[in-house]
Amino acid sequence: MDSEEELVDARIAPLGSLENLSQREVEQILNAGRGDVYALFRRCALAVLSSGLETDDIRDIFERYRDFDIRLGRQAWGVKLELKNAPANAFVDGQMIRGITEHLFAVLRDIVYIHDAILGTQRFDLEDSYSITNAVYHILRNARILDYKGRPNLVVCWGGHSITAVEYDYTKRVGYELGLRALNICTGCGPGAMKGPMKGATIGHSKQRIRDGRYIGMTEPGIIAAEPPNPIVNQLVIMPDIEKRLEAFVRCAHAIVVFPGGAGTAEEILYLLGILLAPENADLPLPVVFTGPPSAAEYFGHIDRFIGATLGSAAQRRYKLIIGDPAQVAREIAHGVDAVREFRRARSDAWNYNWLLKIPLAFQQPFEPTHEAMATLELHRGLPAHIMAANLRRAFSGIVTGNVKEQGIRSIDTFGPYVLRGDKKIMGLLDELLAAFAAQRRMKLAGEYRPCYRLVA
């Protein structure tokens, strides 16, 4: 760390979450401030406090603030946080920025709840599909994401944290058009294509005098340090793992917009299409639009060819590709959301949580991308489309882990690149797509990209 960089000590009271707690809840939180739960909370808290730093190298953040410490204390109405050697960029004139304070206590709320109510009890069988869906619902409800009772209007936006300035401006223009149509935004909460739509929507909402716009950020502990919450997020939720984060996205979404991105965006696309290809979801409306500026046409051409060659034309029919026309994207989404509302009304499904969507267990079970697990993924022609989508999703999840997650980076440093094996055609398509991501600098924010994978036909 730069010896001249300022660090801050502070005591922070709850804001946005945990303002009113019973004595039992206080004891639970204080007890959670020890051992593995504390270590997880410290890492996520540092990620939140580091929001705005131009890096996605987790090791750099943790090394730069290696002396950072955060402790939980008791006060008359609940808990307080005591910070030592915190990043100065989280403060203005000695006071923590309000949005960062809210995010910090949202992290504490979710980590404690997940540890105590989801993982720490026998209430949820996390090997059972319906029970997993129920657990996701309870996490979102505890975070008050489901409190909204208005008409369906939530648009999930996916895309990369490492995108060009032209692409970022385009995401803002799409967000603006969505905001003008009174649509709210949910993203992975980080920078780039996760921040742009929210930033644009705030202007659209302001012009329409919408003062309660929702800018929801959904993340998970493994990726929050590489993609810390951007300052526009006004509702933050931490899911236990990437699979439950993905399920939270699609359960809450009334429509999905996909901007250019890298391996993480490809993972999200494959997850979504794999689910929508399930026969049970054949008639379920969920508008999906792939979009970007004219300069992104080649990127989406690679994506579309890859999907067609691996999952087939049925998968291609589940999305529309719109290049260079933000207003048309918003019109398409608004029209699609109307269809979703009528469908859910007719089927008596909840407007704020899509219970009717069927998610196969293969898409819900956490995938730990060890070298062995990556090497044994089945990537062969002839697999059913939803199984191929599930396995390709896992492959991209492993690449994301090797690119930006601490445990993945350390594993690559120790054992070398992951090895992916499959048919020559599949490996060729995968190589073409990943090479395009790397050439377009979609894998990392800065510095030379060293592949964390090796493809073997």
Coordinates of all heavy atoms in Angstrom, one line a residue, residues 354-433:
N354 N -41.2 -15.0 -9.2 CA -41.7 -15.9 -10.3 C -41.6 -17.4 -9.8 O -40.7 -18.1 -10.1 CB -40.9 -15.7 -11.6 CG -41.5 -16.5 -12.7 OD1 -42.5 -17.2 -12.6 ND2 -40.9 -16.3 -13.9
W355 N -42.7 -17.8 -9.1 CA -42.7 -19.2 -8.6 C -43.0 -20.2 -9.7 O -42.6 -21.4 -9.6 CB -43.9 -19.3 -7.6 CG -43.6 -18.6 -6.3 CD1 -44.1 -17.4 -5.8 CD2 -42.8 -19.1 -5.2 NE1 -43.7 -17.2 -4.6 CE2 -42.9 -18.2 -4.1 CE3 -42.0 -20.3 -5.0 CZ2 -42.2 -18.3 -2.9 CZ3 -41.3 -20.4 -3.8 CH2 -41.4 -19.5 -2.8
L356 N -43.6 -19.8 -10.8 CA -43.9 -20.7 -11.9 C -42.7 -21.1 -12.7 O -42.8 -22.2 -13.4 CB -45.0 -20.1 -12.8 CG -46.4 -19.9 -12.2 CD1 -47.3 -19.2 -13.2 CD2 -47.0 -21.2 -11.7
L357 N -41.7 -20.4 -12.7 CA -40.5 -20.7 -13.4 C -39.9 -22.0 -12.8 O -39.6 -22.1 -11.6 CB -39.5 -19.6 -13.4 CG -38.2 -19.8 -14.1 CD1 -38.4 -19.7 -15.6 CD2 -37.2 -18.7 -13.7
K358 N -39.6 -23.0 -13.7 CA -39.0 -24.3 -13.2 C -37.5 -24.2 -13.5 O -37.1 -24.0 -14.6 CB -39.6 -25.5 -13.9 CG -41.2 -25.5 -13.8 CD -41.6 -25.6 -12.4 CE -43.1 -25.7 -12.3 NZ -43.6 -25.7 -10.9
I359 N -36.7 -24.4 -12.4 CA -35.3 -24.4 -12.5 C -34.8 -25.8 -12.2 O -34.9 -26.3 -11.0 CB -34.6 -23.4 -11.6 CG1 -35.2 -22.0 -11.9 CG2 -33.1 -23.4 -11.7 CD1 -34.6 -20.8 -11.1
P360 N -34.2 -26.5 -13.1 CA -33.7 -27.9 -12.9 C -32.6 -27.8 -11.8 O -31.8 -26.8 -11.7 CB -33.1 -28.3 -14.2 CG -33.8 -27.5 -15.2 CD -34.1 -26.2 -14.6
L361 N -32.5 -28.9 -11.0 CA -31.5 -28.9 -9.9 C -30.1 -28.7 -10.4 O -29.3 -28.2 -9.7 CB -31.7 -30.3 -9.2 CG -30.9 -30.5 -7.9 CD1 -31.3 -29.4 -6.9 CD2 -31.1 -31.9 -7.3
A362 N -29.8 -29.2 -11.6 CA -28.4 -29.0 -12.1 C -28.0 -27.5 -12.2 O -26.8 -27.2 -12.2 CB -28.3 -29.6 -13.5
F363 N -29.0 -26.6 -12.3 CA -28.7 -25.2 -12.3 C -28.7 -24.6 -10.9 O -28.3 -23.4 -10.8 CB -29.7 -24.5 -13.2 CG -29.5 -24.8 -14.7 CD1 -30.2 -25.8 -15.2 CD2 -28.7 -24.0 -15.5 CE1 -30.1 -26.1 -16.6 CE2 -28.6 -24.3 -16.8 CZ -29.3 -25.4 -17.4
Q364 N -29.1 -25.3 -9.9 CA -29.2 -24.8 -8.6 C -28.0 -25.3 -7.7 O -27.7 -24.6 -6.7 CB -30.5 -25.2 -7.9 CG -31.7 -24.6 -8.6 CD -33.0 -25.1 -8.0 OE1 -33.3 -26.3 -8.0 NE2 -33.8 -24.2 -7.5
Q365 N -27.5 -26.4 -8.0 CA -26.4 -27.0 -7.1 C -25.1 -26.2 -7.3 O -24.7 -26.0 -8.4 CB -26.2 -28.4 -7.4 CG -27.4 -29.3 -7.1 CD -27.2 -30.8 -7.5 OE1 -26.7 -31.0 -8.6 NE2 -27.6 -31.7 -6.6
P366 N -24.5 -25.8 -6.2 CA -23.3 -25.0 -6.3 C -22.2 -25.8 -7.0 O -22.0 -27.0 -6.7 CB -22.9 -24.7 -4.8 CG -24.2 -24.8 -4.1 CD -25.0 -25.8 -4.8
F367 N -21.5 -25.2 -7.9 CA -20.3 -25.8 -8.6 C -19.1 -25.2 -8.0 O -18.8 -24.0 -8.1 CB -20.5 -25.6 -10.1 CG -19.3 -26.1 -10.9 CD1 -19.0 -27.4 -11.0 CD2 -18.4 -25.2 -11.5 CE1 -17.9 -27.9 -11.7 CE2 -17.3 -25.6 -12.2 CZ -17.1 -27.0 -12.3
E368 N -18.2 -26.1 -7.5 CA -16.9 -25.7 -7.0 C -15.9 -25.9 -8.0 O -15.6 -27.1 -8.3 CB -16.6 -26.4 -5.7 CG -15.3 -26.0 -5.0 CD -15.3 -24.6 -4.5 OE1 -16.4 -24.1 -4.1 OE2 -14.3 -24.0 -4.5
P369 N -15.4 -24.9 -8.7 CA -14.5 -25.1 -9.9 C -13.1 -25.5 -9.5 O -12.1 -24.7 -9.7 CB -14.6 -23.7 -10.6 CG -14.8 -22.8 -9.5 CD -15.7 -23.5 -8.5
T370 N -12.9 -26.7 -9.0 CA -11.6 -27.2 -8.7 C -11.0 -27.6 -10.1 O -11.7 -27.7 -11.1 CB -11.6 -28.4 -7.8 OG1 -12.4 -29.4 -8.4 CG2 -12.3 -28.0 -6.5
H371 N -9.7 -27.9 -10.1 CA -9.1 -28.4 -11.3 C -9.7 -29.7 -11.8 O -9.9 -29.9 -13.0 CB -7.5 -28.5 -11.1 CG -6.8 -27.2 -11.2 ND1 -6.9 -26.2 -10.3 CD2 -6.0 -26.7 -12.2 CE1 -6.1 -25.2 -10.7 NE2 -5.6 -25.5 -11.8
E372 N -10.0 -30.6 -10.8 CA -10.6 -31.9 -11.1 C -12.0 -31.7 -11.7 O -12.3 -32.3 -12.7 CB -10.6 -32.7 -9.9 CG -11.2 -34.1 -10.2 CD -11.3 -35.0 -8.9 OE1 -10.9 -34.5 -7.8 OE2 -11.7 -36.2 -9.1
A373 N -12.8 -30.8 -11.0 CA -14.2 -30.6 -11.5 C -14.2 -30.0 -12.9 O -15.0 -30.4 -13.7 CB -14.9 -29.7 -10.5
M374 N -13.3 -29.1 -13.2 CA -13.3 -28.5 -14.5 C -12.8 -29.5 -15.6 O -13.4 -29.5 -16.7 CB -12.3 -27.3 -14.5 CG -12.8 -26.1 -13.7 SD -14.2 -25.2 -14.5 CE -13.2 -24.2 -15.7
A375 N -11.9 -30.3 -15.2 CA -11.4 -31.3 -16.2 C -12.4 -32.4 -16.5 O -12.3 -33.0 -17.6 CB -10.1 -31.9 -15.7
T376 N -13.3 -32.6 -15.6 CA -14.3 -33.7 -15.8 C -15.6 -33.3 -16.3 O -16.6 -34.1 -16.4 CB -14.5 -34.5 -14.5 OG1 -14.9 -33.6 -13.5 CG2 -13.2 -35.2 -14.1
L377 N -15.8 -32.0 -16.6 CA -17.0 -31.5 -17.2 C -17.3 -32.2 -18.6 O -16.3 -32.3 -19.4 CB -17.0 -30.0 -17.4 CG -17.2 -29.1 -16.2 CD1 -17.0 -27.6 -16.5 CD2 -18.6 -29.3 -15.6
E378 N -18.5 -32.6 -18.8 CA -18.8 -33.2 -20.1 C -19.2 -32.1 -21.1 O -20.2 -31.4 -20.9 CB -20.0 -34.1 -20.0 CG -19.7 -35.4 -19.3 CD -20.8 -36.4 -19.4 OE1 -21.1 -36.9 -20.6 OE2 -21.5 -36.7 -18.4
L379 N -18.4 -31.9 -22.2 CA -18.6 -30.9 -23.2 C -18.6 -31.6 -24.6 O -17.6 -31.4 -25.3 CB -17.6 -29.8 -23.1 CG -17.5 -29.1 -21.8 CD1 -16.4 -28.1 -21.7 CD2 -18.8 -28.3 -21.5
H380 N -19.6 -32.4 -24.8 CA -19.6 -33.3 -26.0 C -20.9 -33.0 -26.8 O -22.0 -32.9 -26.2 CB -19.5 -34.7 -25.6 CG -18.2 -35.1 -24.9 ND1 -17.0 -35.1 -25.5 CD2 -18.0 -35.4 -23.6 CE1 -16.1 -35.4 -24.6 NE2 -16.7 -35.6 -23.4
R381 N -20.9 -33.1 -28.1 CA -22.1 -33.0 -28.9 C -22.9 -34.2 -28.6 O -22.5 -35.3 -28.2 CB -21.7 -33.0 -30.4 CG -21.1 -31.7 -30.8 CD -20.6 -31.8 -32.3 NE -19.5 -32.7 -32.4 CZ -18.9 -33.0 -33.5 NH1 -19.4 -32.5 -34.7 NH2 -17.9 -33.8 -33.6
G382 N -24.2 -34.0 -28.7 CA -25.2 -35.1 -28.4 C -25.8 -35.0 -27.1 O -26.8 -35.7 -26.8
L383 N -25.3 -34.2 -26.2 CA -25.9 -34.0 -24.9 C -27.2 -33.2 -25.1 O -27.4 -32.4 -26.0 CB -25.0 -33.2 -24.0 CG -23.8 -33.9 -23.5 CD1 -22.9 -32.8 -22.7 CD2 -24.1 -35.0 -22.5
P384 N -28.3 -33.5 -24.3 CA -29.5 -32.6 -24.3 C -29.1 -31.2 -24.1 O -28.2 -30.9 -23.4 CB -30.3 -33.2 -23.2 CG -29.8 -34.6 -22.9 CD -28.4 -34.5 -23.3
A385 N -29.8 -30.3 -24.8 CA -29.5 -28.9 -24.8 C -29.4 -28.3 -23.4 O -28.4 -27.5 -23.1 CB -30.5 -28.1 -25.6
H386 N -30.3 -28.7 -22.5 CA -30.2 -28.1 -21.1 C -29.0 -28.6 -20.3 O -28.5 -27.9 -19.5 CB -31.5 -28.4 -20.4 CG -31.8 -29.8 -20.0 ND1 -32.2 -30.7 -20.9 CD2 -31.7 -30.4 -18.8 CE1 -32.3 -31.9 -20.3 NE2 -32.0 -31.7 -19.0
I387 N -28.6 -29.9 -20.6 CA -27.4 -30.4 -19.9 C -26.1 -29.7 -20.5 O -25.2 -29.4 -19.7 CB -27.3 -31.9 -20.1 CG1 -28.5 -32.6 -19.5 CG2 -26.0 -32.5 -19.5 CD1 -28.6 -32.4 -18.0
M388 N -26.1 -29.5 -21.8 CA -25.0 -28.8 -22.4 C -24.9 -27.4 -21.9 O -23.8 -26.9 -21.5 CB -25.1 -28.8 -23.9 CG -24.1 -27.9 -24.6 SD -22.4 -28.5 -24.4 CE -22.4 -29.8 -25.7
A389 N -26.1 -26.7 -21.7 CA -26.1 -25.4 -21.2 C -25.6 -25.4 -19.7 O -24.8 -24.5 -19.3 CB -27.5 -24.8 -21.2
A390 N -26.0 -26.4 -18.9 CA -25.6 -26.4 -17.5 C -24.1 -26.6 -17.4 O -23.4 -26.0 -16.6 CB -26.3 -27.6 -16.8
N391 N -23.5 -27.5 -18.3 CA -22.1 -27.7 -18.2 C -21.2 -26.6 -18.8 O -20.2 -26.2 -18.2 CB -21.7 -29.0 -19.0 CG -22.2 -30.3 -18.3 OD1 -22.5 -30.2 -17.1 ND2 -22.3 -31.4 -18.9
L392 N -21.7 -25.9 -19.8 CA -21.0 -24.8 -20.3 C -21.1 -23.6 -19.3 O -20.1 -22.9 -19.1 CB -21.6 -24.3 -21.6 CG -21.3 -25.2 -22.9 CD1 -22.2 -24.8 -24.1 CD2 -19.8 -25.0 -23.3
R393 N -22.2 -23.5 -18.6 CA -22.3 -22.5 -17.6 C -21.3 -22.7 -16.5 O -20.6 -21.8 -16.0 CB -23.7 -22.6 -17.0 CG -24.2 -21.4 -16.2 CD -23.6 -21.2 -14.8 NE -23.9 -22.3 -13.9 CZ -23.5 -22.4 -12.7 NH1 -22.7 -21.5 -12.2 NH2 -23.8 -23.4 -11.9
R394 N -21.1 -24.0 -16.1 CA -20.1 -24.3 -15.1 C -18.7 -24.0 -15.6 O -17.8 -23.5 -14.8 CB -20.2 -25.8 -14.7 CG -21.4 -26.1 -14.0 CD -21.6 -27.6 -13.8 NE -22.8 -28.0 -13.0 CZ -23.6 -29.0 -13.3 NH1 -23.4 -29.7 -14.4 NH2 -24.7 -29.2 -12.5
A395 N -18.4 -24.3 -16.9 CA -17.1 -24.0 -17.4 C -16.8 -22.5 -17.4 O -15.7 -22.0 -16.9 CB -17.0 -24.4 -18.9
F396 N -17.8 -21.6 -17.7 CA -17.6 -20.2 -17.7 C -17.5 -19.7 -16.2 O -16.8 -18.8 -15.9 CB -18.7 -19.5 -18.4 CG -18.5 -19.4 -19.9 CD1 -19.2 -20.3 -20.7 CD2 -17.6 -18.5 -20.5 CE1 -19.0 -20.2 -22.1 CE2 -17.4 -18.5 -21.8 CZ -18.0 -19.4 -22.7
S397 N -18.3 -20.4 -15.3 CA -18.2 -20.0 -13.9 C -16.8 -20.3 -13.4 O -16.2 -19.5 -12.6 CB -19.2 -20.9 -13.1 OG -19.2 -20.5 -11.7
G398 N -16.1 -21.4 -13.8 CA -14.8 -21.6 -13.4 C -13.8 -20.6 -14.0 O -12.8 -20.2 -13.3
I399 N -14.0 -20.1 -15.2 CA -13.1 -19.1 -15.8 C -13.3 -17.8 -15.0 O -12.3 -17.1 -14.8 CB -13.5 -19.0 -17.3 CG1 -13.0 -20.2 -18.0 CG2 -12.7 -17.7 -17.9 CD1 -13.5 -20.3 -19.5
V400 N -14.5 -17.5 -14.6 CA -14.7 -16.3 -13.8 C -13.9 -16.4 -12.5 O -13.3 -15.5 -12.0 CB -16.2 -16.0 -13.5 CG1 -16.4 -14.9 -12.5 CG2 -16.9 -15.7 -14.8
T401 N -14.0 -17.6 -11.9 CA -13.3 -17.8 -10.6 C -11.8 -17.7 -10.8 O -11.1 -17.0 -10.0 CB -13.6 -19.2 -10.1 OG1 -15.0 -19.3 -9.8 CG2 -12.8 -19.6 -8.8
G402 N -11.3 -18.2 -11.9 CA -9.8 -18.1 -12.1 C -9.4 -16.7 -12.5 O -8.3 -16.3 -12.3
N403 N -10.3 -15.9 -13.0 CA -10.0 -14.5 -13.4 C -10.0 -13.6 -12.2 O -9.1 -12.7 -12.1 CB -11.0 -14.0 -14.5 CG -10.7 -14.5 -15.9 OD1 -9.7 -15.1 -16.1 ND2 -11.7 -14.3 -16.8
V404 N -11.1 -13.7 -11.4 CA -11.2 -12.6 -10.4 C -11.5 -13.0 -9.0 O -11.4 -12.2 -8.1 CB -12.4 -11.6 -10.8 CG1 -12.1 -11.0 -12.2 CG2 -13.7 -12.4 -10.9
K405 N -11.8 -14.3 -8.7 CA -12.0 -14.7 -7.3 C -10.7 -15.1 -6.6 O -9.9 -15.8 -7.3 CB -13.1 -15.8 -7.3 CG -14.4 -15.4 -7.8 CD -15.5 -16.5 -7.6 CE -16.8 -16.1 -8.1 NZ -17.9 -17.1 -7.9
E406 N -10.6 -14.8 -5.4 CA -9.3 -15.0 -4.7 C -8.9 -16.4 -4.7 O -7.8 -16.8 -5.0 CB -9.4 -14.4 -3.3 CG -8.0 -14.5 -2.6 CD -8.1 -14.1 -1.1 OE1 -9.2 -14.1 -0.5 OE2 -7.0 -13.8 -0.5
Q407 N -9.9 -17.3 -4.3 CA -9.5 -18.7 -4.2 C -9.1 -19.3 -5.6 O -8.2 -20.2 -5.7 CB -10.6 -19.6 -3.6 CG -11.8 -19.9 -4.5 CD -12.9 -18.7 -4.4 OE1 -12.5 -17.6 -4.1 NE2 -14.1 -19.1 -4.8
G408 N -9.8 -18.8 -6.6 CA -9.4 -19.3 -8.0 C -8.1 -18.8 -8.4 O -7.3 -19.6 -9.0
I409 N -7.8 -17.5 -8.2 CA -6.5 -17.0 -8.6 C -5.4 -17.7 -7.9 O -4.3 -18.1 -8.5 CB -6.5 -15.5 -8.2 CG1 -7.5 -14.7 -9.1 CG2 -5.0 -14.9 -8.4 CD1 -7.6 -13.3 -8.7
R410 N -5.5 -18.0 -6.6 CA -4.5 -18.7 -5.8 C -4.4 -20.2 -6.4 O -3.2 -20.7 -6.4 CB -4.9 -18.7 -4.3 CG -4.8 -17.4 -3.7 CD -4.9 -17.4 -2.2 NE -5.0 -16.1 -1.6 CZ -3.9 -15.3 -1.4 NH1 -2.7 -15.7 -1.7 NH2 -4.1 -14.1 -0.8
S411 N -5.5 -20.8 -6.7 CA -5.4 -22.1 -7.2 C -4.7 -22.2 -8.6 O -3.9 -23.1 -8.8 CB -6.8 -22.7 -7.4 OG -6.8 -24.0 -7.9
I412 N -4.9 -21.2 -9.4 CA -4.2 -21.1 -10.7 C -2.8 -20.9 -10.5 O -1.9 -21.5 -11.2 CB -4.8 -20.0 -11.6 CG1 -6.3 -20.3 -11.9 CG2 -4.0 -19.8 -12.9 CD1 -6.6 -21.6 -12.7
D413 N -2.4 -20.0 -9.5 CA -1.0 -19.8 -9.2 C -0.3 -21.1 -8.8 O 0.9 -21.3 -9.1 CB -0.9 -18.7 -8.2 CG -1.2 -17.3 -8.7 OD1 -1.2 -17.1 -9.9 OD2 -1.4 -16.4 -7.8
T414 N -1.0 -21.9 -8.1 CA -0.4 -23.1 -7.5 C -0.4 -24.3 -8.5 O 0.7 -24.9 -8.6 CB -1.2 -23.5 -6.2 OG1 -1.2 -22.5 -5.3 CG2 -0.6 -24.8 -5.6
F415 N -1.5 -24.5 -9.2 CA -1.6 -25.7 -10.0 C -1.6 -25.4 -11.5 O -1.7 -26.4 -12.3 CB -2.9 -26.5 -9.6 CG -3.0 -26.9 -8.2 CD1 -3.8 -26.2 -7.3 CD2 -2.1 -27.9 -7.7 CE1 -3.9 -26.6 -6.0 CE2 -2.2 -28.2 -6.3 CZ -3.1 -27.6 -5.5
G416 N -1.6 -24.2 -11.9 CA -1.6 -23.9 -13.3 C -3.0 -23.7 -13.8 O -4.0 -23.8 -13.1
P417 N -3.2 -23.5 -15.1 CA -4.5 -23.2 -15.7 C -5.5 -24.4 -15.6 O -5.0 -25.6 -15.5 CB -4.2 -23.0 -17.2 CG -2.8 -22.6 -17.2 CD -2.1 -23.4 -16.2
Y418 N -6.8 -24.1 -15.5 CA -7.8 -25.2 -15.6 C -7.7 -25.8 -17.0 O -7.3 -25.2 -17.9 CB -9.2 -24.6 -15.4 CG -9.5 -24.0 -14.1 CD1 -10.0 -22.7 -14.0 CD2 -9.4 -24.7 -12.9 CE1 -10.3 -22.1 -12.8 CE2 -9.7 -24.2 -11.7 CZ -10.2 -22.8 -11.6 OH -10.5 -22.3 -10.5
V419 N -8.0 -27.1 -17.0 CA -8.0 -27.8 -18.3 C -9.5 -28.2 -18.6 O -10.1 -28.8 -17.8 CB -7.1 -29.1 -18.3 CG1 -7.3 -29.9 -19.6 CG2 -5.7 -28.7 -18.1
L420 N -9.9 -27.8 -19.8 CA -11.3 -28.1 -20.2 C -11.2 -29.1 -21.4 O -10.4 -28.8 -22.4 CB -12.1 -26.9 -20.6 CG -12.5 -26.0 -19.5 CD1 -13.0 -24.6 -20.0 CD2 -13.6 -26.6 -18.6
R421 N -11.9 -30.2 -21.4 CA -11.8 -31.2 -22.4 C -13.2 -31.4 -23.1 O -14.2 -31.4 -22.4 CB -11.3 -32.5 -21.9 CG -9.9 -32.5 -21.4 CD -9.4 -33.9 -21.0 NE -8.0 -33.9 -20.7 CZ -7.4 -33.7 -19.5 NH1 -8.3 -33.4 -18.5 NH2 -6.1 -33.7 -19.3
G422 N -13.2 -31.6 -24.4 CA -14.4 -31.9 -25.1 C -14.2 -32.1 -26.5 O -13.1 -32.3 -27.0
D423 N -15.3 -32.2 -27.3 CA -15.3 -32.4 -28.7 C -14.5 -31.3 -29.4 O -14.5 -30.2 -28.9 CB -16.7 -32.5 -29.3 CG -17.4 -33.7 -29.0 OD1 -16.8 -34.7 -28.6 OD2 -18.7 -33.7 -29.1
K424 N -13.8 -31.7 -30.5 CA -13.0 -30.7 -31.2 C -13.9 -29.5 -31.6 O -13.4 -28.4 -31.5 CB -12.4 -31.4 -32.5 CG -11.5 -30.5 -33.2 CD -10.8 -31.2 -34.4 CE -9.8 -30.3 -35.1 NZ -9.2 -31.0 -36.2
K425 N -15.1 -29.8 -32.1 CA -15.9 -28.7 -32.6 C -16.3 -27.7 -31.4 O -16.2 -26.5 -31.5 CB -17.2 -29.2 -33.2 CG -18.1 -28.1 -33.7 CD -19.3 -28.6 -34.5 CE -20.2 -27.5 -35.0 NZ -21.4 -28.0 -35.6
I426 N -16.7 -28.3 -30.3 CA -17.1 -27.5 -29.1 C -15.9 -26.7 -28.6 O -16.0 -25.5 -28.3 CB -17.6 -28.4 -28.0 CG1 -18.9 -29.2 -28.4 CG2 -18.0 -27.6 -26.7 CD1 -20.1 -28.3 -28.8
M427 N -14.7 -27.4 -28.5 CA -13.5 -26.7 -28.0 C -13.1 -25.6 -29.0 O -12.7 -24.5 -28.6 CB -12.4 -27.7 -27.9 CG -12.5 -28.7 -26.7 SD -12.7 -27.9 -25.1 CE -14.4 -27.9 -24.8
G428 N -13.3 -25.8 -30.3 CA -13.0 -24.8 -31.3 C -13.9 -23.5 -31.1 O -13.5 -22.4 -31.1
L429 N -15.2 -23.8 -30.9 CA -16.2 -22.7 -30.7 C -15.8 -22.0 -29.4 O -15.9 -20.7 -29.3 CB -17.6 -23.2 -30.6 CG -18.2 -23.8 -31.9 CD1 -19.4 -24.7 -31.6 CD2 -18.5 -22.7 -32.8
L430 N -15.5 -22.7 -28.3 CA -15.2 -22.1 -27.1 C -13.9 -21.3 -27.2 O -13.8 -20.1 -26.6 CB -15.0 -23.2 -26.0 CG -15.0 -22.8 -24.5 CD1 -16.3 -22.1 -24.2 CD2 -14.9 -24.1 -23.7
D431 N -12.9 -21.8 -27.9 CA -11.6 -21.1 -28.1 C -11.9 -19.8 -28.8 O -11.3 -18.7 -28.5 CB -10.7 -22.0 -28.8 CG -9.3 -21.3 -29.0 OD1 -8.8 -20.8 -28.0 OD2 -8.7 -21.4 -30.1
E432 N -12.7 -19.8 -29.9 CA -13.0 -18.6 -30.7 C -13.7 -17.5 -29.8 O -13.3 -16.4 -29.8 CB -13.9 -19.0 -31.8 CG -14.3 -17.8 -32.7 CD -15.4 -18.1 -33.7 OE1 -15.7 -19.3 -33.9 OE2 -15.9 -17.2 -34.3
L433 N -14.6 -18.0 -29.0 CA -15.4 -17.0 -28.1 C -14.4 -16.4 -27.0 O -14.4 -15.2 -26.9 CB -16.5 -17.7 -27.5 CG -17.5 -16.8 -26.7 CD1 -18.2 -15.8 -27.6 CD2 -18.6 -17.6 -26.0

